[in-house]
Amino acid sequence: MLQQTTVATVVPYFERWMERFPTVEALAQADLDEALALWAGLGYYSRCKRLWLAARSVVESGWPPTIAGWLALPGVGRYTAAAVTSIAMGQANAVVDGNVERVYSRLCGDDSAEAVLKKKAWAWAESVIPSNAPGEWNEALMELGATVCRPGAPQCSECPLQTFCAARLAGNSAELPRRAAPSAPVLLQHHIWLPKWEDRLGILRSGPGEWWEGLWGFPRSPDPKALSRLLGFCELTTIGAFRHSVTRHRIHVQVALAQVHRPVGSLQWVTDDQLHRFPMPAPQRRALALLRTRIRLADGQPPLFDTESQEVVDQ
């Protein structure tokens, strides 16, 4: 959960997750949709699917005894495999995260950036990892980067490595590691149509290779003609808009209610009170919230949400 997500955001999700899935066996036996529903809102939903697949693998074959075995699990990369095997199993495998990269860059005076820095930091970390207490060593390096060798404002006077630090001696600690130029945002426009037939709404599951693969939602496309071809003749009512970010993509989303006169076979038709069973990404839940607000306003009730355009960040 902490990959690409802050601790403050993760804590309530983690607590709910552990209450429902206290053991790896509990997760392995659960339906993927249930796991995705608990994950909804954290973004990067492929992480949840890989975690679920990894749990099934562990239940079937046991906990991996080596770093190679951990790397073979779905969703486990070099960092996670090294962290688990060093901290939990005492194996001399180096760990490199952003904190360790920063310590290496300043300590060695390396002004590389991005992928080059990462590669050189891994090589350095592997060259200095001790065979005695490797887990404590890895945790100490990460903690040093998080609390002392901080980005922007390093606390050099408190650092136990200050006499060996090339950046401190050169007086450029705050300038390292060097940052690559940020990528320009990609501007997109999407349309979400909420199909309504009698008292039901039509939803579908995102397919392989699509954003939010495996999750449910309302038909979405940058081309409203594609939605017209999917739904056939329908009466459209605009119900709102919002801005939405996916990594460096900045998307303006237009939301409309599509009143259809027959159920489209490619959609699953459910009542509003059944929707909670289907895991949905943040923009789809926002579109649904706009519809519910419109219905409440029509009934003379206060809105559930501000109907002004808002920013929704969902990875």
Side-chain angles (χ1 to χ4, degrees):
M1 288 182 178
L2 286 169
Q3 294 171 3
Q4 305 295 324
T5 312
T6 64
V7 172
T9 299
V10 161
V11 168
Y13 285 90
F14 177 77
E15 291 174 344
R16 288 192 295 268
W17 182 276
M18 293 307 299
E19 181 178 355
R20 172 60 186 87
F21 305 125
T23 64
V24 68
E25 290 81 9
L27 176 57
Q29 293 164 6
D31 185 79
L32 176 57
D33 276 352
E34 183 182 4
L36 286 168
L38 282 174
W39 196 280
L42 276 175
Y44 295 99
Y45 294 94
S46 58
R47 297 179 299 174
C48 179
K49 183 177 180 180
R50 289 194 293 262
L51 180 59
W52 177 76
L53 289 170
R56 291 192 155 198
S57 177
V58 166
V59 168
E60 181 178 341
S61 305
W63 294 103
T66 65
I67 191 169
W70 279 94
L71 287 169
L73 290 176
V76 176
R78 189 177 183 182
Y79 167 82
T80 301
V84 171
T85 54
S86 66
I87 296 171
M89 304 170 70
Q91 298 178 15
N93 296 313
V95 168
V96 173
D97 65 355
N99 292 313
V100 175
E101 285 184 21
R102 189 165 53 255
V103 169
Y104 158 74
S105 175
R106 291 170 175 170
L107 185 65
C108 298
D110 191 331
D111 67 351
S112 303
E114 300 293 327
V116 174
L117 176 64
K118 185 179 292 292
K119 181 177 180 179
K120 294 168 81 170
W122 274 105
W124 171 79
E126 289 173 341
S127 73
V128 299
I129 184 78
S131 58
N132 180 40
E136 286 87 340
W137 174 273
N138 284 331
E139 290 187 279
L141 274 180
M142 291 187 285
E143 190 73 4
L144 180 66
T147 62
V148 177
C149 195
R150 300 184 303 194
Q155 308 298 302
C156 295
S157 62
E158 301 176 16
C159 181
L161 303 179
Q162 58 182 282
T163 57
F164 310 106
C165 181
R168 176 175 171 80
L169 293 174
N172 64 346
S173 298
E175 299 170 18
L176 295 178
R178 183 170 60 84
R179 295 177 177 83
S183 300
V186 178
L187 305 180
L188 300 174
Q189 173 128 358
H190 280 183
H191 299 267
I192 294 179
W193 287 7
L194 286 74
K196 186 174 187 297
W197 172 66
E198 296 182 348
D199 65 339
R200 296 177 180 269
L201 294 169
I203 58 175
L204 71 170
R205 191 193 291 265
S206 296
E210 296 181 6
W211 279 350
W212 310 296
E213 177 182 336
L215 272 69
W216 292 84
F218 306 101
R220 171 186 58 86
S221 175
D223 181 10
K225 292 181 180 179
L227 298 176
S228 294
R229 289 192 294 271
L230 173 67
L231 298 178
F233 176 76
C234 56
E235 300 171 15
L236 286 181
T237 304
T238 299
I239 58 175
F242 56 87
R243 295 179 302 276
H244 168 54
S245 298
V246 179
T247 58
R248 63 191 185 96
H249 298 85
R250 303 293 179 264
I251 310 169
H252 184 258
V253 183
Q254 294 278 354
V255 184
L257 177 66
Q259 185 75 51
V260 300
H261 300 282
R262 59 179 178 80
V264 179
S266 58
L267 303 182
Q268 182 157 336
W269 295 89
V270 298
T271 59
D272 186 38
D273 59 2
Q274 293 173 327
L275 283 170
H276 70 278
R277 305 175 189 172
F278 297 86
M280 286 184 171
Q284 294 285 352
R285 288 184 280 110
R286 176 61 186 164
L288 179 61
L290 286 173
L291 175 62
R292 288 172 172 166
T293 291
R294 174 61 65 92
I295 293 172
R296 289 177 66 88
L297 289 172
D299 291 342
Q301 302 180 62
L304 291 170
F305 298 91
D306 181 4
T307 54
E308 295 295 323
S309 176
Q310 295 185 11
E311 177 78 18
V312 176
V313 179
D314 181 74
Q315 303 81 355

